[in-house]
PDB file of all heavy atoms in Angstrom:
ATOM      1  N   LEU T1386      83.371 125.075 121.563  1.00  0.00           N
ATOM      2  CA  LEU T1386      84.717 125.020 122.156  1.00  0.00           C
ATOM      3  C   LEU T1386      85.151 126.392 122.595  1.00  0.00           C
ATOM      4  O   LEU T1386      85.593 126.600 123.779  1.00  0.00           O
ATOM      5  CB  LEU T1386      85.713 124.483 121.159  1.00  0.00           C
ATOM      6  CG  LEU T1386      85.931 122.951 121.162  1.00  0.00           C
ATOM      7  CD1 LEU T1386      86.883 122.550 120.041  1.00  0.00           C
ATOM      8  CD2 LEU T1386      86.417 122.492 122.546  1.00  0.00           C
ATOM      9  N   ALA T1449      81.991 149.859 121.957  1.00  0.00           N
ATOM     10  CA  ALA T1449      81.355 149.929 120.617  1.00  0.00           C
ATOM     11  C   ALA T1449      80.759 148.528 120.360  1.00  0.00           C
ATOM     12  O   ALA T1449      81.188 147.567 120.945  1.00  0.00           O
ATOM     13  CB  ALA T1449      82.440 150.241 119.593  1.00  0.00           C
ATOM     14  N   ARG T1458      87.442 145.858 111.042  1.00  0.00           N
ATOM     15  CA  ARG T1458      88.779 145.283 110.987  1.00  0.00           C
ATOM     16  C   ARG T1458      88.925 144.381 109.723  1.00  0.00           C
ATOM     17  O   ARG T1458      90.010 144.282 109.155  1.00  0.00           O
ATOM     18  CB  ARG T1458      89.106 144.485 112.175  1.00  0.00           C
ATOM     19  CG  ARG T1458      89.068 145.321 113.493  1.00  0.00           C
ATOM     20  CD  ARG T1458      90.043 146.474 113.372  1.00  0.00           C
ATOM     21  NE  ARG T1458      90.052 147.286 114.577  1.00  0.00           N
ATOM     22  CZ  ARG T1458      90.884 147.184 115.502  1.00  0.00           C
ATOM     23  NH1 ARG T1458      91.911 146.337 115.446  1.00  0.00           N
ATOM     24  NH2 ARG T1458      90.857 147.988 116.625  1.00  0.00           N
ATOM     25  N   GLY T1477     105.600 133.045  93.648  1.00  0.00           N
ATOM     26  CA  GLY T1477     106.087 131.709  94.020  1.00  0.00           C
ATOM     27  C   GLY T1477     105.961 130.596  92.986  1.00  0.00           C
ATOM     28  O   GLY T1477     106.881 129.913  92.674  1.00  0.00           O
ATOM     29  N   ALA T1539      92.256 155.362  97.480  1.00  0.00           N
ATOM     30  CA  ALA T1539      93.649 155.403  96.977  1.00  0.00           C
ATOM     31  C   ALA T1539      94.637 155.268  98.143  1.00  0.00           C
ATOM     32  O   ALA T1539      95.593 154.496  98.145  1.00  0.00           O
ATOM     33  CB  ALA T1539      93.907 156.626  96.132  1.00  0.00           C
ATOM     34  N   ALA T1557     105.664 133.398  99.413  1.00  0.00           N
ATOM     35  CA  ALA T1557     106.058 133.007  98.049  1.00  0.00           C
ATOM     36  C   ALA T1557     107.219 132.076  98.036  1.00  0.00           C
ATOM     37  O   ALA T1557     107.292 131.154  97.256  1.00  0.00           O
ATOM     38  CB  ALA T1557     106.434 134.297  97.285  1.00  0.00           C
ATOM     39  N   ILE T1559     107.873 129.824 100.286  1.00  0.00           N
ATOM     40  CA  ILE T1559     107.378 128.507 100.610  1.00  0.00           C
ATOM     41  C   ILE T1559     106.741 127.886  99.399  1.00  0.00           C
ATOM     42  O   ILE T1559     106.960 126.740  99.014  1.00  0.00           O
ATOM     43  CB  ILE T1559     106.344 128.593 101.776  1.00  0.00           C
ATOM     44  CG1 ILE T1559     107.070 129.032 103.058  1.00  0.00           C
ATOM     45  CG2 ILE T1559     105.680 127.219 101.970  1.00  0.00           C
ATOM     46  CD1 ILE T1559     106.122 129.285 104.212  1.00  0.00           C
ATOM     47  N   ARG T1565     108.180 123.577  93.226  1.00  0.00           N
ATOM     48  CA  ARG T1565     109.325 122.944  92.561  1.00  0.00           C
ATOM     49  C   ARG T1565     109.358 121.410  92.910  1.00  0.00           C
ATOM     50  O   ARG T1565     109.413 120.598  91.998  1.00  0.00           O
ATOM     51  CB  ARG T1565     110.654 123.557  93.098  1.00  0.00           C
ATOM     52  CG  ARG T1565     111.900 122.852  92.585  1.00  0.00           C
ATOM     53  CD  ARG T1565     113.155 123.159  93.314  1.00  0.00           C
ATOM     54  NE  ARG T1565     114.207 122.397  92.838  1.00  0.00           N
ATOM     55  CZ  ARG T1565     114.532 121.197  93.294  1.00  0.00           C
ATOM     56  NH1 ARG T1565     113.814 120.701  94.275  1.00  0.00           N
ATOM     57  NH2 ARG T1565     115.554 120.526  92.861  1.00  0.00           N
ATOM     58  N   VAL T1569     108.911 118.536  90.209  1.00  0.00           N
ATOM     59  CA  VAL T1569     110.001 117.589  90.002  1.00  0.00           C
ATOM     60  C   VAL T1569     109.508 116.157  90.145  1.00  0.00           C
ATOM     61  O   VAL T1569     109.807 115.279  89.335  1.00  0.00           O
ATOM     62  CB  VAL T1569     111.182 117.877  90.959  1.00  0.00           C
ATOM     63  CG1 VAL T1569     112.140 116.692  90.978  1.00  0.00           C
ATOM     64  CG2 VAL T1569     111.894 119.126  90.531  1.00  0.00           C
ATOM     65  N   THR T1579     105.259 109.543  78.477  1.00  0.00           N
ATOM     66  CA  THR T1579     104.338 109.346  77.416  1.00  0.00           C
ATOM     67  C   THR T1579     104.234 110.610  76.563  1.00  0.00           C
ATOM     68  O   THR T1579     104.200 110.545  75.310  1.00  0.00           O
ATOM     69  CB  THR T1579     102.945 108.983  77.923  1.00  0.00           C
ATOM     70  OG1 THR T1579     103.073 107.848  78.833  1.00  0.00           O
ATOM     71  CG2 THR T1579     101.999 108.565  76.772  1.00  0.00           C
ATOM     72  N   PRO T1602      98.923 119.327  95.019  1.00  0.00           N
ATOM     73  CA  PRO T1602      99.378 119.478  96.412  1.00  0.00           C
ATOM     74  C   PRO T1602      99.609 120.910  96.782  1.00  0.00           C
ATOM     75  O   PRO T1602      99.438 121.332  97.948  1.00  0.00           O
ATOM     76  CB  PRO T1602     100.688 118.645  96.474  1.00  0.00           C
ATOM     77  CG  PRO T1602     101.141 118.478  95.088  1.00  0.00           C
ATOM     78  CD  PRO T1602      99.852 118.505  94.209  1.00  0.00           C
ATOM     79  N   PHE T1611      96.452 130.875 103.298  1.00  0.00           N
ATOM     80  CA  PHE T1611      95.367 131.902 103.388  1.00  0.00           C
ATOM     81  C   PHE T1611      94.894 131.949 104.874  1.00  0.00           C
ATOM     82  O   PHE T1611      94.693 133.045 105.417  1.00  0.00           O
ATOM     83  CB  PHE T1611      94.293 131.650 102.365  1.00  0.00           C
ATOM     84  CG  PHE T1611      93.374 132.794 102.171  1.00  0.00           C
ATOM     85  CD1 PHE T1611      93.915 134.073 101.950  1.00  0.00           C
ATOM     86  CD2 PHE T1611      91.992 132.697 102.318  1.00  0.00           C
ATOM     87  CE1 PHE T1611      93.095 135.171 101.753  1.00  0.00           C
ATOM     88  CE2 PHE T1611      91.189 133.738 102.128  1.00  0.00           C
ATOM     89  CZ  PHE T1611      91.719 135.019 101.839  1.00  0.00           C
ATOM     90  N   ALA T1612      94.664 130.742 105.383  1.00  0.00           N
ATOM     91  CA  ALA T1612      94.210 130.732 106.791  1.00  0.00           C
ATOM     92  C   ALA T1612      95.231 131.438 107.678  1.00  0.00           C
ATOM     93  O   ALA T1612      94.867 132.228 108.578  1.00  0.00           O
ATOM     94  CB  ALA T1612      94.041 129.246 107.204  1.00  0.00           C
ATOM     95  N   LEU T1614      97.380 133.683 106.822  1.00  0.00           N
ATOM     96  CA  LEU T1614      97.505 135.134 106.468  1.00  0.00           C
ATOM     97  C   LEU T1614      96.374 135.921 107.157  1.00  0.00           C
ATOM     98  O   LEU T1614      96.547 137.062 107.548  1.00  0.00           O
ATOM     99  CB  LEU T1614      97.406 135.308 104.996  1.00  0.00           C
ATOM    100  CG  LEU T1614      98.710 134.969 104.275  1.00  0.00           C
ATOM    101  CD1 LEU T1614      98.525 135.027 102.741  1.00  0.00           C
ATOM    102  CD2 LEU T1614      99.830 135.876 104.655  1.00  0.00           C
ATOM    103  N   SER T1639      94.356 141.390 125.960  1.00  0.00           N
ATOM    104  CA  SER T1639      95.046 142.130 126.985  1.00  0.00           C
ATOM    105  C   SER T1639      94.016 142.842 127.879  1.00  0.00           C
ATOM    106  O   SER T1639      94.203 142.993 129.104  1.00  0.00           O
ATOM    107  CB  SER T1639      95.928 143.180 126.383  1.00  0.00           C
ATOM    108  OG  SER T1639      96.493 142.726 125.227  1.00  0.00           O
ATOM    109  N   ASP T1642      88.664 141.520 127.354  1.00  0.00           N
ATOM    110  CA  ASP T1642      87.388 141.762 126.745  1.00  0.00           C
ATOM    111  C   ASP T1642      86.955 140.444 126.038  1.00  0.00           C
ATOM    112  O   ASP T1642      86.971 140.358 124.819  1.00  0.00           O
ATOM    113  CB  ASP T1642      87.498 142.938 125.783  1.00  0.00           C
ATOM    114  CG  ASP T1642      86.113 143.476 125.381  1.00  0.00           C
ATOM    115  OD1 ASP T1642      85.114 142.799 125.651  1.00  0.00           O
ATOM    116  OD2 ASP T1642      86.073 144.575 124.835  1.00  0.00           O
ATOM    117  N   VAL T1646      86.798 138.701 122.138  1.00  0.00           N
ATOM    118  CA  VAL T1646      87.667 137.594 121.738  1.00  0.00           C
ATOM    119  C   VAL T1646      86.921 136.447 121.152  1.00  0.00           C
ATOM    120  O   VAL T1646      87.210 135.917 120.078  1.00  0.00           O
ATOM    121  CB  VAL T1646      88.453 137.098 122.949  1.00  0.00           C
ATOM    122  CG1 VAL T1646      89.289 135.875 122.615  1.00  0.00           C
ATOM    123  CG2 VAL T1646      89.379 138.193 123.540  1.00  0.00           C
ATOM    124  N   VAL T1658      87.440 127.715 107.824  1.00  0.00           N
ATOM    125  CA  VAL T1658      86.672 126.537 107.459  1.00  0.00           C
ATOM    126  C   VAL T1658      86.081 126.722 106.061  1.00  0.00           C
ATOM    127  O   VAL T1658      86.117 125.821 105.227  1.00  0.00           O
ATOM    128  CB  VAL T1658      85.486 126.256 108.491  1.00  0.00           C
ATOM    129  CG1 VAL T1658      84.553 125.250 107.973  1.00  0.00           C
ATOM    130  CG2 VAL T1658      86.080 125.836 109.845  1.00  0.00           C
ATOM    131  N   LEU T1663      86.256 125.700 100.204  1.00  0.00           N
ATOM    132  CA  LEU T1663      86.461 126.100  98.836  1.00  0.00           C
ATOM    133  C   LEU T1663      87.673 125.421  98.164  1.00  0.00           C
ATOM    134  O   LEU T1663      87.563 125.073  96.953  1.00  0.00           O
ATOM    135  CB  LEU T1663      86.663 127.658  98.802  1.00  0.00           C
ATOM    136  CG  LEU T1663      85.467 128.529  99.093  1.00  0.00           C
ATOM    137  CD1 LEU T1663      85.804 130.004  99.092  1.00  0.00           C
ATOM    138  CD2 LEU T1663      84.331 128.212  98.180  1.00  0.00           C
ATOM    139  N   LEU T1666      86.454 122.131  97.080  1.00  0.00           N
ATOM    140  CA  LEU T1666      85.646 122.230  95.834  1.00  0.00           C
ATOM    141  C   LEU T1666      86.556 122.428  94.657  1.00  0.00           C
ATOM    142  O   LEU T1666      86.328 121.786  93.592  1.00  0.00           O
ATOM    143  CB  LEU T1666      84.705 123.426  95.953  1.00  0.00           C
ATOM    144  CG  LEU T1666      83.469 123.279  96.802  1.00  0.00           C
ATOM    145  CD1 LEU T1666      82.485 124.386  96.595  1.00  0.00           C
ATOM    146  CD2 LEU T1666      82.767 121.937  96.514  1.00  0.00           C
ATOM    147  N   ALA T1669      88.033 119.222  93.565  1.00  0.00           N
ATOM    148  CA  ALA T1669      87.087 118.381  92.854  1.00  0.00           C
ATOM    149  C   ALA T1669      86.919 118.905  91.440  1.00  0.00           C
ATOM    150  O   ALA T1669      86.712 118.166  90.494  1.00  0.00           O
ATOM    151  CB  ALA T1669      85.745 118.356  93.534  1.00  0.00           C
ATOM    152  N   PRO T1673      89.559 115.232  88.038  1.00  0.00           N
ATOM    153  CA  PRO T1673      88.338 114.454  87.720  1.00  0.00           C
ATOM    154  C   PRO T1673      88.162 113.202  88.537  1.00  0.00           C
ATOM    155  O   PRO T1673      87.064 112.706  88.654  1.00  0.00           O
ATOM    156  CB  PRO T1673      88.533 114.145  86.229  1.00  0.00           C
ATOM    157  CG  PRO T1673      90.033 114.223  85.966  1.00  0.00           C
ATOM    158  CD  PRO T1673      90.443 115.298  86.945  1.00  0.00           C
TER     159      PRO T1673
END
Side-chain angles (χ1 to χ4, degrees):
Chain T
L1386 270 177
R1458 300 303 181 99
I1559 294 173
R1565 173 195 176 272
V1569 165
T1579 308
F1611 194 50
L1614 285 172
S1639 325
D1642 196 346
V1646 175
V1658 169
L1663 291 178
L1666 283 191

